Amino acid sequence: MTTTDSSDLVRGVGVSPGRAAGPVAQVRPPAGEPDTGPPVPEDRVDPEAERIGRAAQAVAEDLERSAASVEGERRELLETTAQMAADPTLVGTAADLVRGERLPPERAVWQAAGTVAEQLRELGGYMAERARDVADVRDRIIAELTGAPVPGVPQRAEPFVLVALDLAPADTALLDPERVRAIVTAEGGPTSHTAILARSLGIPAVVGLRGALETLTDDRTVLVDGGAGTVRVDPTEEEIAAARRPAATTRPFDGHGRTADGHDVELLANVGDPTSAEAAEAANAQGVGLFRTEFCFLDRTEEPGIEEQAAAYGKVLAHFPGKKVVIRTLDAGADKPMPFVVADDEVNPALGVRGLRTSRHAPEVLDHQLAAIAQAAADHEADVWVMAPMVATVEETEAFVAACGRYGLTRAGVMVEVPSAALLSGPILARATFASLGTNDLTQYAMAADRLLGSLAELSDPWQPAVLRLVEATCAGGAQQSRPVGVCGEAAADPALAVVLVGLGVTSLSMTPRALGEVAAVLQATDLQACRELAGAALAAESAADARSRVREALPVLAELGL
């Protein structure tokens, strides 16, 4: 945690814009590590072991009921956690510890979860992130076994600012924006579950604020600025009155992104399944800038067939007749392991076989997907563009464009997530018809900082000047070849950063549907020349905090809009 010029202002990493004030309510902590206690009597071993299965089943059923009350990514998070609660590996390992070592059930669950979590951390990437889910499930099962309160978001009569070490996915998915005015966590980063869900719900959020639990204690009033990444402790009444309370409704978007002087900027939506496509359509998105196709492939041991894929893609395309839909081919590997394309024993999955690289080992998977996309495109009126993730070389670009051409897909582009692709954007875009910057991974690889590691949140910030220079280089390559360059990473949802990206030459911005209205409003208040000047100021900064501060100070519209 760092302190600015005032002792009552502390800084983390802003991940969801907006300003809100209220009393602090810390997340209810778990009971902690249970004592080993006396051995379970021999005649009680089997009954005590069986209690673990019943407790796990009760937790799973509770999570499934919660999942039924929400939609989209929130439902997926809860369903995933419920599946982990019912996973026979955790339950079986714990039951074996009761029977073999006569451990009390709660102690057996604790030890079994530790073993499972360590195995996941060793796998790295997405599987390492799931270790946090194991800890959440462990604490819920132990609470069920002991009758202790279930850890998580507190229930309070008045709206509050939620403060936590970090939020479990299940907690995040159940957040109510009418009650949770803002979120502050000591850990987490710009691409954590907390950050992504906060943005989708319109809740201001600051993560990576070290010492948050010690400084922001229960019932202390704080003012959170999710755009600036700051928390003011004990604000004045005037400051509280000026803070925008998070609205339950989304700021409207008229379906035409543009600057104050009429320069067109396509404002698109990121979607991951038909449900999120409905939200994008309802928000008047000008199209889809990132259609993640992994929902067809996850949790499967073999790839889905061409007909199944085409039908699934068609459910998204149907929402956007006459509009652009950019489909990303399978982004397997690293945080999305899939056994039919990626080995599970890579030492460093984030630098391994992922994205387009999987086609070296399983070219038929890419061919089948392109065939399915072409079939879905023929059956619907959307303007279908296709892009490959994790492109690093000109040769990879040529191979992908040729593969798309075999299926009549003429709008073939690349994602720029690797610094080499940004630096080679000129020759790459001489082959590809467009580029889309994935700022989450581009930041990770440019800063050599795991984007899932909360302790490096300040490095995983897309405001880093080095990252902005890579965006500038990519846009220069696009201009050289007269090719459009978009941004589909989480950076596009930050209204202040969106201005900078447009100033750097980005032609489209794709984001969570809820952010469209706020980004549009800030762009409509800023002319193109101002965007370029602010981009220059950000590039000249020596740190992410300096870049963000320079730009925000020069954009009074942010304060006017409560951003």
Side-chain angles (χ1 to χ4, degrees), residues 21-44:
V24 168
Q26 292 195 1
V27 168
R28 285 194 307 271
E33 181 174 358
D35 294 332
T36 302
V40 174
E42 287 285 358
D43 61 346
R44 291 292 304 165

Side-chain angles (χ1 to χ4, degrees), residues 102 222 450 492:
R102 296 170 57 192
V222 298
D450 186 341

Side-chain angles (χ1 to χ4, degrees), residues 315-335:
K315 291 178 181 178
V316 171
L317 299 183
H319 290 281
F320 302 97
K323 294 184 177 182
K324 178 167 76 175
V325 176
V326 182
I327 302 179
R328 183 181 69 187
T329 56
L330 184 60
D331 190 16
D335 59 344

Side-chain angles (χ1 to χ4, degrees), residues 123-353:
L123 292 173
Y126 170 79
M127 301 309 290
E129 188 181 11
R130 294 293 300 276
R132 178 68 184 86
D133 299 15
V134 174
D136 179 32
V137 167
R138 173 201 69 197
D139 295 338
R140 290 171 182 269
I141 294 175
I142 290 175
E144 180 71 23
L145 286 166
T146 61
V150 177
V153 179
Q155 298 297 317
R156 293 178 60 128
E158 78 281 19
F160 55 88
V161 172
L162 187 64
V163 175
L165 180 66
D166 197 4
L167 289 177
D171 292 332
T172 311
L174 289 172
L175 293 181
D176 179 359
E178 290 292 334
R179 306 192 61 75
V180 180
R181 287 182 168 173
I183 301 168
V184 182
T185 64
E187 297 181 352
T191 60
S192 64
H193 287 306
T194 300
I196 293 169
L197 265 296
R199 280 189 290 269
S200 70
L201 293 171
I203 300 175
V206 174
V207 302
L209 198 156
R210 300 190 193 103
L213 295 177
E214 293 75 28
T215 304
L216 312 180
T217 51
D218 276 333
D219 297 318
R220 195 166 190 182
T221 300
V222 298
L223 190 157
V224 178
D225 189 328
T230 59
V231 178
R232 184 173 294 282
V233 183
D234 299 327
T236 65
E237 289 298 326
E238 292 76 14
E239 289 170 329
I240 294 174
R244 179 179 74 96
R245 180 179 178 178
T249 57
T250 304
R251 191 183 300 276
F253 172 48
D254 65 7
H256 181 194
R258 59 200 179 278
T259 60
D261 52 339
H263 174 73
D264 287 336
V265 182
E266 282 186 306
L267 297 185
L268 311 167
N270 295 338
V271 305
D273 54 34
T275 299
S276 56
E278 293 176 10
E281 180 185 25
N284 286 326
Q286 290 178 256
V288 174
L290 171 62
F291 174 14
R292 305 179 182 94
T293 56
E294 290 74 40
F295 76 102
C296 283
F297 295 83
L298 291 173
D299 299 321
R300 301 180 69 141
T301 57
E302 57 184 37
E303 63 168 319
I306 293 174
E307 294 295 330
E308 181 183 348
Q309 289 187 55
Y313 304 152
K315 291 178 181 178
V316 171
L317 299 183
H319 290 281
F320 302 97
K323 294 184 177 182
K324 178 167 76 175
V325 176
V326 182
I327 302 179
R328 183 181 69 187
T329 56
L330 184 60
D331 190 16
D335 59 344
K336 293 177 282 290
M338 298 177 194
F340 46 88
V341 288
V342 182
D344 60 3
D345 58 353
E346 291 183 340
V347 175
N348 190 340
L351 297 178
V353 179

Side-chain angles (χ1 to χ4, degrees), residues 394 414 416 419-431 435 470-478 480-481 483 485:
V394 175
V414 299
V416 175
S420 65
L423 298 173
L424 289 172
S425 58
I428 282 177
L429 285 169
R431 279 81 170 174
L470 291 171
V471 175
E472 179 187 38
T474 306
C475 291
Q480 181 187 81
Q481 305 295 341
R483 303 294 200 193
V485 174

